[in-house]
Amino acid sequence: MQRFDQSPTDPDFVQNPYPLYDRMRAAGDLVYWSDYDKVCATSHKAVTTILKDRRFGREAPAEFARAVPEHLRPFYDIEAHSMLELEPPRHTKLRALVIRAFTSRGIASLGPMISELANDLIDQLPDGPFDIIDAFARPIPVIVICRLLGVPEDRASDLLRWSNDMVAMYQARRTPAIEAAAVAATLEFRAFLTDYIAARRKAPKSDLLSDLIAAEAEGEKLTSDELIATVMVLLNAGHEATVHTLGNGIKALIEIGKPDVTPATAEEILRFDPPLHMFMRWVYEDVTLFGHDFKRGDEVGCLLASANRDPAAYSEPNTFQADRSGPVNASFGGGIHFCVGAPLARMEVHLALDALFTRCPDLRMTEPATYADLYHFHGLDRLMVTTAAQAST
Protein backbone atom coordinates (compact mmCIF):
# COMPACT_ATOMS: atom_id res chain seq x y z
CA MET A 1 0.00 0.00 0.00
CA GLN A 2 1.43 3.35 -1.03
CA ARG A 3 2.14 6.00 1.61
CA PHE A 4 1.21 9.68 1.11
CA ASP A 5 2.49 12.60 3.17
CA GLN A 6 0.31 15.69 2.88
CA SER A 7 -0.67 18.15 5.58
CA PRO A 8 -4.42 18.87 5.30
CA THR A 9 -3.77 22.47 6.36
CA ASP A 10 -1.13 23.16 3.70
CA PRO A 11 -2.32 26.26 1.78
CA ASP A 12 -1.82 24.71 -1.66
CA PHE A 13 -3.74 21.59 -0.65
CA VAL A 14 -6.56 23.65 0.87
CA GLN A 15 -6.99 25.56 -2.39
CA ASN A 16 -6.96 22.45 -4.57
CA PRO A 17 -6.94 18.97 -2.99
CA TYR A 18 -7.94 17.20 -6.20
CA PRO A 19 -4.44 16.57 -7.65
CA LEU A 20 -3.58 14.64 -4.46
CA TYR A 21 -6.76 12.57 -4.81
CA ASP A 22 -5.85 11.80 -8.43
CA ARG A 23 -2.43 10.53 -7.32
CA MET A 24 -3.93 8.53 -4.48
CA ARG A 25 -6.50 6.81 -6.73
CA ALA A 26 -3.79 5.98 -9.23
CA ALA A 27 -1.95 4.19 -6.41
CA GLY A 28 -4.91 1.94 -5.58
CA ASP A 29 -8.33 1.65 -3.96
CA LEU A 30 -6.66 2.08 -0.56
CA VAL A 31 -3.67 4.20 0.46
CA TYR A 32 -2.00 5.14 3.72
CA TRP A 33 -2.24 8.87 4.63
CA SER A 34 0.58 9.39 7.11
CA ASP A 35 -0.67 12.72 8.45
CA TYR A 36 -3.78 10.92 9.72
CA ASP A 37 -2.00 7.62 10.43
CA LYS A 38 -4.91 5.90 8.67
CA VAL A 39 -5.77 3.84 5.65
CA CYS A 40 -7.97 5.85 3.29
CA ALA A 41 -10.35 4.63 0.60
CA THR A 42 -9.87 6.55 -2.64
CA SER A 43 -11.96 5.01 -5.42
CA HIS A 44 -15.71 5.27 -5.92
CA LYS A 45 -16.01 1.51 -5.51
CA ALA A 46 -13.95 1.34 -2.32
CA VAL A 47 -15.59 4.37 -0.67
CA THR A 48 -19.17 3.31 -1.41
CA THR A 49 -18.44 -0.29 -0.43
CA ILE A 50 -17.06 0.67 2.98
CA LEU A 51 -19.84 3.21 3.64
CA LYS A 52 -22.46 0.51 3.08
CA ASP A 53 -20.66 -2.41 4.77
CA ARG A 54 -22.07 -3.04 8.27
CA ARG A 55 -18.68 -4.35 9.37
CA PHE A 56 -17.71 -0.67 9.45
CA GLY A 57 -19.47 2.04 11.44
CA ARG A 58 -19.35 5.42 13.15
CA GLU A 59 -19.33 4.37 16.81
CA ALA A 60 -16.04 3.19 18.30
CA PRO A 61 -15.98 -0.40 19.55
CA ALA A 62 -16.26 -0.33 23.33
CA GLU A 63 -12.69 -1.44 23.99
CA PHE A 64 -11.33 1.25 21.65
CA ALA A 65 -13.41 4.17 22.92
CA ARG A 66 -11.19 7.10 23.80
CA ALA A 67 -11.32 8.87 27.13
CA VAL A 68 -12.86 12.33 26.90
CA PRO A 69 -10.76 15.12 28.43
CA GLU A 70 -12.71 16.83 31.19
CA HIS A 71 -12.55 20.26 29.53
CA LEU A 72 -14.25 18.84 26.40
CA ARG A 73 -16.94 16.85 28.21
CA PRO A 74 -19.85 19.23 27.44
CA PHE A 75 -19.20 18.90 23.71
CA TYR A 76 -18.85 15.11 23.74
CA ASP A 77 -21.81 14.68 26.08
CA ILE A 78 -23.90 15.99 23.17
CA GLU A 79 -22.10 13.80 20.63
CA ALA A 80 -22.91 10.77 22.76
CA HIS A 81 -26.56 11.22 21.77
CA SER A 82 -26.04 12.25 18.13
CA MET A 83 -27.39 9.89 15.49
CA LEU A 84 -24.44 10.90 13.32
CA GLU A 85 -22.10 9.14 15.74
CA LEU A 86 -24.27 6.18 16.81
CA GLU A 87 -24.97 2.67 15.54
CA PRO A 88 -28.08 0.48 15.93
CA PRO A 89 -30.19 0.12 17.94
CA ARG A 90 -29.99 3.75 19.14
CA HIS A 91 -29.26 5.06 15.65
CA THR A 92 -32.26 3.19 14.25
CA LYS A 93 -34.64 4.81 16.72
CA LEU A 94 -33.32 8.34 16.27
CA ARG A 95 -33.19 8.17 12.48
CA ALA A 96 -36.69 6.72 12.24
CA LEU A 97 -38.07 9.57 14.33
CA VAL A 98 -36.33 12.23 12.24
CA ILE A 99 -37.42 10.67 8.95
CA ARG A 100 -40.99 10.44 10.22
CA ALA A 101 -40.94 14.08 11.24
CA PHE A 102 -39.38 15.17 7.96
CA THR A 103 -42.01 13.23 6.05
CA SER A 104 -44.86 14.66 8.10
CA ARG A 105 -43.65 18.16 7.33
CA GLY A 106 -43.50 17.37 3.63
CA ILE A 107 -40.07 18.41 2.37
CA ALA A 108 -41.39 19.00 -1.16
CA SER A 109 -43.88 21.53 0.20
CA LEU A 110 -40.96 23.72 1.33
CA GLY A 111 -40.04 24.49 -2.29
CA PRO A 112 -42.09 27.69 -2.65
CA MET A 113 -40.71 29.01 0.63
CA ILE A 114 -37.11 28.36 -0.46
CA SER A 115 -37.67 30.10 -3.80
CA GLU A 116 -39.32 33.07 -2.09
CA LEU A 117 -36.48 33.34 0.42
CA ALA A 118 -33.88 33.22 -2.35
CA ASN A 119 -35.67 35.95 -4.29
CA ASP A 120 -36.00 38.11 -1.18
CA LEU A 121 -32.25 37.89 -0.65
CA ILE A 122 -31.59 38.64 -4.32
CA ASP A 123 -33.72 41.78 -3.99
CA GLN A 124 -31.29 42.99 -1.32
CA LEU A 125 -28.06 42.33 -3.24
CA PRO A 126 -25.97 45.47 -3.89
CA ASP A 127 -24.70 46.37 -7.33
CA GLY A 128 -21.10 46.87 -6.27
CA PRO A 129 -18.67 44.09 -5.31
CA PHE A 130 -19.92 42.06 -2.35
CA ASP A 131 -19.37 38.67 -0.73
CA ILE A 132 -22.15 36.41 -1.99
CA ILE A 133 -21.34 33.82 0.68
CA ASP A 134 -22.44 36.25 3.40
CA ALA A 135 -25.23 37.84 1.37
CA PHE A 136 -26.81 34.70 -0.08
CA ALA A 137 -25.23 31.30 0.61
CA ARG A 138 -24.97 31.62 4.39
CA PRO A 139 -28.46 32.92 5.27
CA ILE A 140 -30.52 30.51 3.15
CA PRO A 141 -29.88 27.22 4.97
CA VAL A 142 -30.01 28.71 8.48
CA ILE A 143 -33.32 30.48 7.79
CA VAL A 144 -34.76 27.32 6.22
CA ILE A 145 -33.78 25.20 9.21
CA CYS A 146 -35.12 27.87 11.61
CA ARG A 147 -38.49 27.76 9.84
CA LEU A 148 -38.46 23.98 9.67
CA LEU A 149 -37.69 23.59 13.37
CA GLY A 150 -39.89 26.48 14.44
CA VAL A 151 -36.97 28.41 15.96
CA PRO A 152 -37.24 32.24 15.87
CA GLU A 153 -35.37 33.68 12.90
CA ASP A 154 -34.10 36.54 15.04
CA ARG A 155 -31.84 33.93 16.69
CA ALA A 156 -30.27 33.01 13.33
CA SER A 157 -27.03 34.86 14.10
CA ASP A 158 -26.65 32.90 17.35
CA LEU A 159 -27.39 29.63 15.59
CA LEU A 160 -24.78 30.45 12.95
CA ARG A 161 -22.16 31.25 15.55
CA TRP A 162 -22.89 28.13 17.59
CA SER A 163 -22.88 25.94 14.50
CA ASN A 164 -19.61 27.34 13.14
CA ASP A 165 -17.85 27.01 16.49
CA MET A 166 -19.04 23.45 17.07
CA VAL A 167 -18.31 22.18 13.56
CA ALA A 168 -14.77 23.53 13.80
CA MET A 169 -14.04 20.60 16.13
CA TYR A 170 -13.99 18.30 13.09
CA GLN A 171 -11.44 20.36 11.16
CA ALA A 172 -7.75 19.59 10.76
CA ARG A 173 -6.82 23.08 12.04
CA ARG A 174 -8.30 22.35 15.50
CA THR A 175 -6.54 24.18 18.35
CA PRO A 176 -7.17 24.67 22.10
CA ALA A 177 -8.85 28.00 21.27
CA ILE A 178 -11.19 26.26 18.81
CA GLU A 179 -11.96 23.63 21.43
CA ALA A 180 -12.81 26.28 24.03
CA ALA A 181 -15.09 28.09 21.58
CA ALA A 182 -16.83 24.82 20.70
CA VAL A 183 -17.50 24.00 24.35
CA ALA A 184 -18.86 27.51 25.00
CA ALA A 185 -21.10 27.25 21.93
CA THR A 186 -22.34 23.83 23.05
CA LEU A 187 -23.35 25.13 26.47
CA GLU A 188 -25.12 28.18 25.02
CA PHE A 189 -26.89 26.14 22.35
CA ARG A 190 -27.97 23.53 24.90
CA ALA A 191 -29.37 26.17 27.25
CA PHE A 192 -31.33 27.78 24.42
CA LEU A 193 -32.77 24.46 23.25
CA THR A 194 -33.65 23.34 26.78
CA ASP A 195 -35.78 26.43 27.28
CA TYR A 196 -37.26 26.29 23.81
CA ILE A 197 -38.16 22.61 24.03
CA ALA A 198 -39.88 23.26 27.36
CA ALA A 199 -41.95 26.00 25.73
CA ARG A 200 -42.85 23.75 22.78
CA ARG A 201 -43.97 20.97 25.10
CA LYS A 202 -46.49 23.39 26.62
CA ALA A 203 -47.57 24.91 23.29
CA PRO A 204 -46.86 22.62 20.30
CA LYS A 205 -46.93 24.10 16.82
CA SER A 206 -46.76 22.81 13.25
CA ASP A 207 -42.98 22.40 13.04
CA LEU A 208 -40.30 19.73 13.14
CA LEU A 209 -39.42 20.34 16.79
CA SER A 210 -43.04 19.81 17.85
CA ASP A 211 -43.17 16.65 15.72
CA LEU A 212 -40.09 15.27 17.46
CA ILE A 213 -41.49 16.13 20.88
CA ALA A 214 -44.78 14.46 19.98
CA ALA A 215 -42.96 11.32 18.92
CA GLU A 216 -41.24 11.25 22.31
CA ALA A 217 -44.58 11.69 24.06
CA GLU A 218 -46.06 8.79 22.05
CA GLY A 219 -43.72 6.29 23.65
CA GLU A 220 -40.76 6.42 21.27
CA LYS A 221 -38.49 7.01 24.27
CA LEU A 222 -36.67 9.97 22.78
CA THR A 223 -34.92 11.48 25.79
CA SER A 224 -34.36 15.18 26.28
CA ASP A 225 -30.63 14.67 25.64
CA GLU A 226 -31.39 12.83 22.40
CA LEU A 227 -33.82 15.54 21.35
CA ILE A 228 -31.27 18.30 21.96
CA ALA A 229 -28.51 16.38 20.15
CA THR A 230 -30.82 15.67 17.20
CA VAL A 231 -31.74 19.33 16.77
CA MET A 232 -28.07 20.30 16.99
CA VAL A 233 -26.98 17.81 14.36
CA LEU A 234 -29.79 18.85 12.01
CA LEU A 235 -28.66 22.45 12.22
CA ASN A 236 -24.90 21.91 12.26
CA ALA A 237 -24.68 19.24 9.56
CA GLY A 238 -27.38 20.72 7.37
CA HIS A 239 -26.22 24.30 7.57
CA GLU A 240 -22.45 23.91 7.21
CA ALA A 241 -22.61 21.57 4.22
CA THR A 242 -25.28 23.54 2.37
CA VAL A 243 -23.44 26.86 2.73
CA HIS A 244 -20.30 25.30 1.22
CA THR A 245 -22.28 23.62 -1.57
CA LEU A 246 -24.01 26.87 -2.53
CA GLY A 247 -20.74 28.82 -2.52
CA ASN A 248 -18.79 26.16 -4.40
CA GLY A 249 -21.67 25.87 -6.85
CA ILE A 250 -21.87 29.59 -7.56
CA LYS A 251 -18.13 29.63 -8.26
CA ALA A 252 -18.34 26.63 -10.60
CA LEU A 253 -21.35 27.96 -12.50
CA ILE A 254 -19.75 31.37 -13.03
CA GLU A 255 -16.57 29.71 -14.30
CA ILE A 256 -18.39 27.55 -16.86
CA GLY A 257 -20.71 30.25 -18.15
CA LYS A 258 -23.81 30.05 -15.93
CA PRO A 259 -25.93 27.29 -17.53
CA ASP A 260 -29.58 26.75 -16.65
CA VAL A 261 -29.76 25.28 -13.17
CA THR A 262 -31.65 21.98 -13.07
CA PRO A 263 -31.73 19.18 -10.49
CA ALA A 264 -28.98 17.49 -12.54
CA THR A 265 -26.88 20.66 -12.30
CA ALA A 266 -27.26 20.67 -8.51
CA GLU A 267 -26.19 17.03 -8.41
CA GLU A 268 -23.11 17.83 -10.49
CA ILE A 269 -22.20 20.63 -8.08
CA LEU A 270 -22.31 18.10 -5.24
CA ARG A 271 -20.13 15.67 -7.20
CA PHE A 272 -17.64 18.15 -8.60
CA ASP A 273 -16.75 20.17 -5.50
CA PRO A 274 -18.47 18.65 -2.44
CA PRO A 275 -18.66 20.28 0.99
CA LEU A 276 -17.29 17.29 2.95
CA HIS A 277 -14.18 15.48 1.76
CA MET A 278 -13.54 12.80 4.37
CA PHE A 279 -15.82 10.67 6.54
CA MET A 280 -14.43 8.21 9.08
CA ARG A 281 -15.47 4.62 9.79
CA TRP A 282 -14.44 2.25 12.58
CA VAL A 283 -13.78 -1.40 11.76
CA TYR A 284 -16.00 -3.78 13.77
CA GLU A 285 -14.58 -7.15 12.74
CA ASP A 286 -11.50 -8.47 10.98
CA VAL A 287 -12.12 -8.27 7.25
CA THR A 288 -10.08 -8.26 4.06
CA LEU A 289 -11.16 -5.75 1.43
CA PHE A 290 -9.35 -4.44 -1.64
CA GLY A 291 -6.26 -6.44 -0.70
CA HIS A 292 -5.93 -5.06 2.83
CA ASP A 293 -6.49 -6.86 6.14
CA PHE A 294 -8.53 -4.58 8.37
CA LYS A 295 -8.56 -5.37 12.10
CA ARG A 296 -11.27 -4.60 14.64
CA GLY A 297 -10.59 -1.16 16.09
CA ASP A 298 -8.92 0.23 12.96
CA GLU A 299 -10.20 3.50 11.51
CA VAL A 300 -10.50 4.14 7.80
CA GLY A 301 -11.00 7.48 6.06
CA CYS A 302 -13.50 7.46 3.21
CA LEU A 303 -12.40 10.18 0.77
CA LEU A 304 -15.78 11.24 -0.59
CA ALA A 305 -14.37 13.91 -2.90
CA SER A 306 -11.84 11.47 -4.36
CA ALA A 307 -14.63 8.98 -5.07
CA ASN A 308 -16.53 11.73 -6.87
CA ARG A 309 -13.62 12.34 -9.26
CA ASP A 310 -12.97 8.65 -10.05
CA PRO A 311 -12.57 8.14 -13.83
CA ALA A 312 -13.77 4.54 -13.38
CA ALA A 313 -17.16 5.95 -12.35
CA TYR A 314 -17.39 9.23 -14.31
CA SER A 315 -16.14 10.23 -17.73
CA GLU A 316 -13.87 13.27 -17.66
CA PRO A 317 -14.37 13.55 -13.89
CA ASN A 318 -12.37 16.76 -13.48
CA THR A 319 -14.70 18.57 -15.88
CA PHE A 320 -17.98 20.12 -14.73
CA GLN A 321 -20.83 18.77 -16.87
CA ALA A 322 -24.15 20.37 -15.94
CA ASP A 323 -26.20 17.54 -17.49
CA ARG A 324 -23.97 14.68 -16.34
CA SER A 325 -25.41 11.22 -15.79
CA GLY A 326 -23.70 8.42 -13.90
CA PRO A 327 -23.68 6.68 -10.53
CA VAL A 328 -24.88 8.48 -7.42
CA ASN A 329 -22.07 10.59 -6.01
CA ALA A 330 -20.67 9.94 -2.54
CA SER A 331 -21.28 13.43 -1.14
CA PHE A 332 -24.15 12.39 1.16
CA GLY A 333 -22.38 9.29 2.46
CA GLY A 334 -23.96 5.87 2.23
CA GLY A 335 -25.53 2.98 4.07
CA ILE A 336 -27.51 3.60 7.25
CA HIS A 337 -25.73 6.93 7.71
CA PHE A 338 -26.77 8.32 4.32
CA CYS A 339 -27.60 11.98 5.00
CA VAL A 340 -31.18 12.25 6.26
CA GLY A 341 -31.36 15.82 4.99
CA ALA A 342 -30.23 14.99 1.44
CA PRO A 343 -33.63 15.68 -0.22
CA LEU A 344 -33.85 19.08 1.48
CA ALA A 345 -30.23 19.99 0.65
CA ARG A 346 -30.67 19.01 -3.00
CA MET A 347 -33.80 21.13 -3.26
CA GLU A 348 -32.19 24.14 -1.55
CA VAL A 349 -29.22 24.07 -3.93
CA HIS A 350 -31.39 23.65 -7.03
CA LEU A 351 -33.99 26.29 -6.21
CA ALA A 352 -31.65 28.87 -4.69
CA LEU A 353 -29.16 28.76 -7.56
CA ASP A 354 -31.90 28.65 -10.19
CA ALA A 355 -33.35 31.85 -8.72
CA LEU A 356 -29.92 33.47 -8.46
CA PHE A 357 -28.81 32.87 -12.04
CA THR A 358 -32.27 33.58 -13.48
CA ARG A 359 -32.37 36.93 -11.72
CA CYS A 360 -28.66 37.70 -12.05
CA PRO A 361 -27.45 36.35 -15.41
CA ASP A 362 -24.56 38.84 -15.37
CA LEU A 363 -23.11 37.61 -12.07
CA ARG A 364 -19.30 37.60 -12.19
CA MET A 365 -16.38 37.30 -9.81
CA THR A 366 -14.40 40.45 -9.06
CA GLU A 367 -11.39 38.63 -7.59
CA PRO A 368 -10.10 35.04 -7.49
CA ALA A 369 -12.07 32.81 -5.15
CA THR A 370 -10.21 31.35 -2.16
CA TYR A 371 -11.08 28.32 -0.05
CA ALA A 372 -10.99 28.48 3.74
CA ASP A 373 -8.77 26.29 5.90
CA LEU A 374 -11.57 23.94 6.95
CA TYR A 375 -10.53 20.40 6.00
CA HIS A 376 -12.30 17.83 6.26
CA PHE A 377 -14.79 20.38 4.93
CA HIS A 378 -14.21 22.29 1.72
CA GLY A 379 -15.79 25.68 1.25
CA LEU A 380 -14.95 29.19 0.17
CA ASP A 381 -13.61 31.78 2.58
CA ARG A 382 -15.48 34.37 0.54
CA LEU A 383 -16.66 34.90 -3.04
CA MET A 384 -16.56 38.51 -4.18
CA VAL A 385 -18.96 39.19 -7.06
CA THR A 386 -20.86 41.95 -8.74
CA THR A 387 -24.25 41.96 -10.44
CA ALA A 388 -27.09 44.16 -11.60
CA ALA A 389 -29.92 42.06 -10.27
CA GLN A 390 -33.15 42.18 -12.22
CA ALA A 391 -35.91 44.10 -10.53
CA SER A 392 -38.50 41.36 -10.79
CA THR A 393 -38.67 37.60 -10.77
Side-chain angles (χ1 to χ4, degrees):
M1 182 182 299
Q2 189 165 332
R3 174 192 177 107
F4 286 83
D5 304 315
Q6 174 61 68
S7 167
T9 61
D10 176 78
D12 289 338
F13 174 79
V14 167
Q15 294 310 308
N16 187 9
Y18 296 104
L20 174 69
Y21 299 152
D22 289 343
R23 296 194 300 272
M24 284 179 164
R25 275 194 317 275
D29 295 294
L30 302 173
V31 299
Y32 176 75
W33 193 342
S34 61
D35 300 77
Y36 285 98
D37 190 24
K38 288 180 178 59
V39 172
C40 289
T42 67
S43 67
H44 189 275
K45 183 177 181 181
V47 168
T48 55
T49 295
I50 290 171
L51 289 174
K52 295 175 182 178
D53 194 321
R54 293 301 303 129
R55 293 171 294 186
F56 298 79
R58 288 290 294 170
E59 195 170 1
E63 69 272 29
F64 293 97
R66 296 164 182 146
V68 175
E70 194 60 33
H71 71 284
L72 298 178
R73 188 165 298 280
F75 179 85
Y76 286 105
D77 281 349
I78 294 294
E79 275 217 333
H81 301 285
S82 168
M83 66 178 176
L84 189 64
E85 306 298 334
L86 297 173
E87 291 296 311
R90 291 187 66 200
H91 173 271
T92 305
K93 178 186 71 172
L94 291 173
R95 188 177 177 92
L97 285 168
V98 173
I99 289 175
R100 184 183 308 167
F102 262 68
T103 301
S104 68
R105 293 286 299 150
I107 295 301
S109 67
L110 299 175
M113 180 269 286
I114 294 170
S115 294
E116 180 181 8
L117 172 60
N119 278 291
D120 287 345
L121 290 170
I122 293 167
D123 288 339
Q124 301 171 47
L125 297 180
D127 291 333
F130 63 95
D131 181 7
I132 200 164
I133 304 296
D134 275 341
F136 188 78
R138 190 163 283 120
I140 286 178
V142 73
I143 292 174
V144 169
I145 199 68
C146 279
R147 293 178 181 178
L148 185 63
L149 287 168
V151 174
E153 291 177 36
D154 61 8
R155 299 302 300 269
S157 60
D158 289 327
L159 295 173
L160 278 174
R161 176 170 55 84
W162 296 333
S163 175
N164 290 336
D165 287 347
M166 293 177 71
V167 169
M169 287 286 279
Y170 306 107
Q171 296 168 7
R173 64 185 181 94
R174 178 170 156 177
T175 63
I178 285 175
E179 291 178 347
V183 169
T186 301
L187 293 172
E188 291 180 37
F189 200 172
R190 183 187 181 98
F192 166 74
L193 286 176
T194 299
D195 292 342
Y196 209 75
I197 289 168
R200 271 293 184 273
R201 282 199 171 104
K202 294 179 180 178
K205 294 186 178 181
S206 179
D207 54 45
L208 179 57
L209 183 55
S210 296
D211 289 342
L212 289 170
I213 291 170
E216 177 189 8
E218 290 167 4
E220 295 289 347
K221 299 180 181 178
L222 185 64
T223 68
S224 294
D225 285 338
E226 289 171 339
L227 185 57
I228 289 170
T230 298
V231 173
M232 284 188 179
V233 77
L234 288 174
L235 174 72
N236 294 349
H239 170 263
E240 191 81 8
T242 306
V243 170
H244 296 330
T245 304
L246 288 170
N248 296 355
I250 294 168
K251 171 182 177 289
L253 293 177
I254 290 175
E255 290 175 338
I256 66 167
K258 302 180 284 292
D260 292 338
V261 180
T262 67
T265 312
E267 202 67 17
E268 177 68 348
I269 288 168
L270 285 157
R271 181 203 70 84
F272 183 74
D273 202 14
L276 177 63
H277 279 209
M278 181 190 287
F279 208 43
M280 296 294 185
R281 286 288 191 271
W282 286 92
V283 181
Y284 290 153
E285 61 182 76
D286 295 356
V287 56
T288 300
L289 282 177
F290 303 101
H292 179 71
D293 297 327
F294 289 101
K295 301 296 182 183
R296 176 176 170 85
D298 289 348
E299 277 189 287
V300 55
C302 294
L303 298 178
L304 310 181
S306 177
N308 286 352
R309 296 284 188 105
D310 187 348
Y314 307 97
S315 64
E316 300 181 48
N318 291 320
T319 300
F320 190 102
Q321 298 177 11
D323 58 351
R324 180 184 294 277
S325 60
V328 176
N329 63 69
S331 298
F332 289 116
I336 66 169
H337 286 286
F338 182 82
C339 177
V340 71
L344 177 59
R346 285 181 164 121
M347 186 167 62
E348 285 183 83
V349 173
H350 169 218
L351 295 180
L353 297 188
D354 179 47
L356 179 65
F357 286 101
T358 298
R359 296 279 306 281
C360 307
D362 58 341
L363 194 69
R364 62 181 178 83
M365 288 187 282
T366 60
E367 62 181 53
T370 57
Y371 290 90
D373 182 11
L374 303 172
Y375 202 82
H376 309 157
F377 298 99
H378 186 65
L380 295 168
D381 181 43
R382 65 177 189 166
L383 183 59
M384 297 301 295
V385 301
T386 186
T387 181
Q390 297 178 359
S392 60
T393 58

